[in-house]
């Protein structure tokens, strides 16, 4: 997620640079539509920069995204601006065949050919450790970890 967020922040910064050049070299600042466009850019820029800060990671721990009860795994995913979450996706733990863990992403394959993907603010090692902690030994033996 960090690599993608950095690329997004760079792209949004370049758009902001173009807007600032237009603001200086033209009279677009006199128009309300340009001020609204600049305000929208500022909002999106703040969101993209916020996702790169340690505050973002501290406000979004893994326990907010992966939860379990006796038989189910609940998955939430990040989406949109700032800390907006999507979900939950309910998964029966017994139906999980394979879990693929990547940096900032978790993909769960179930035996009914469904696949759930979650974008998470954590590295591969953190996700592996967290999943191994919340699953029982018998569940870990029946699930393939990639």
């Amino acid at each position: 997620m960090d690599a993608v967020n950095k690329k997004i922040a760079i792209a949004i910064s370049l758009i902001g640079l173009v807007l600032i050049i237009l603001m200086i070299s033209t009279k677009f600042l006199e128009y309300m539509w340009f001020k609204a466009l600049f305000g929208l850019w500022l909002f999106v820029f703040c969101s993209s920069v916020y996702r790169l800060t340690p505050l973002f990671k501290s406000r979004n721990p893994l326990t907010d995204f992966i939860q379990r009860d006796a038989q189910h795994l609940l998955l939430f995913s990040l989406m949109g601006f700032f800390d907006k979450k999507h979900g939950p996706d309910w998964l029966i733990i017994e139906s999980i065949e394979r879990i693929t863990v990547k940096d900032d992403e978790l993909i769960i394959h179930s035996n009914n050919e469904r696949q759930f993907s979650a974008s998470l603010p954590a590295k591969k090692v953190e996700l592996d450790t967290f999943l191994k902690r919340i699953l029982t030994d018998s569940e870990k033996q029946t699930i393939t970890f990639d």
Side-chain angles (χ1 to χ4, degrees), residues 40-52:
L40 176 66
W41 170 80
L42 188 61
F43 176 78
V44 172
F45 178 73
C46 289
S47 172
S48 66
V49 170
Y50 165 69
R51 285 179 168 246
L52 298 174

Side-chain angles (χ1 to χ4, degrees), residues 17-39:
L17 183 63
V18 169
L19 287 175
I20 291 170
I21 290 170
L22 286 173
M23 193 177 352
I24 293 170
S25 64
T26 66
K27 294 185 180 186
F28 280 159
L29 197 55
E30 296 174 6
Y31 297 104
M32 190 59 171
W33 64 267
F34 187 78
K35 291 177 185 176
L37 180 65
F38 191 77

Side-chain angles (χ1 to χ4, degrees), residues 52-120:
L52 298 174
T53 64
L55 175 64
F56 175 73
K57 290 196 182 208
S58 68
R59 287 186 51 155
N60 293 292
L62 280 176
T63 55
D64 288 354
F65 295 99
I66 304 170
Q67 301 169 5
R68 81 163 284 165
D69 63 14
Q71 298 174 2
H72 297 92
L73 197 62
L74 287 83
L75 281 180
F76 295 84
S77 183
L78 277 172
M79 63 176 275
F81 297 104
F82 298 100
D83 294 329
K84 182 154 173 61
K85 293 177 180 77
H86 174 264
D89 288 319
W90 292 78
L91 300 158
I92 299 172
I93 294 175
E94 292 175 0
S95 72
I96 298 173
E97 288 183 340
R98 184 169 44 118
I99 297 177
T100 304
V101 179
K102 300 177 181 177
D103 279 346
D104 308 318
E105 186 177 22
L106 178 67
I107 303 168
I108 298 178
H109 305 271
S110 66
N111 59 10
N112 55 1
E113 298 184 19
R114 292 181 65 191
Q115 178 177 322
F116 295 93
S117 177
S119 177
L120 305 170

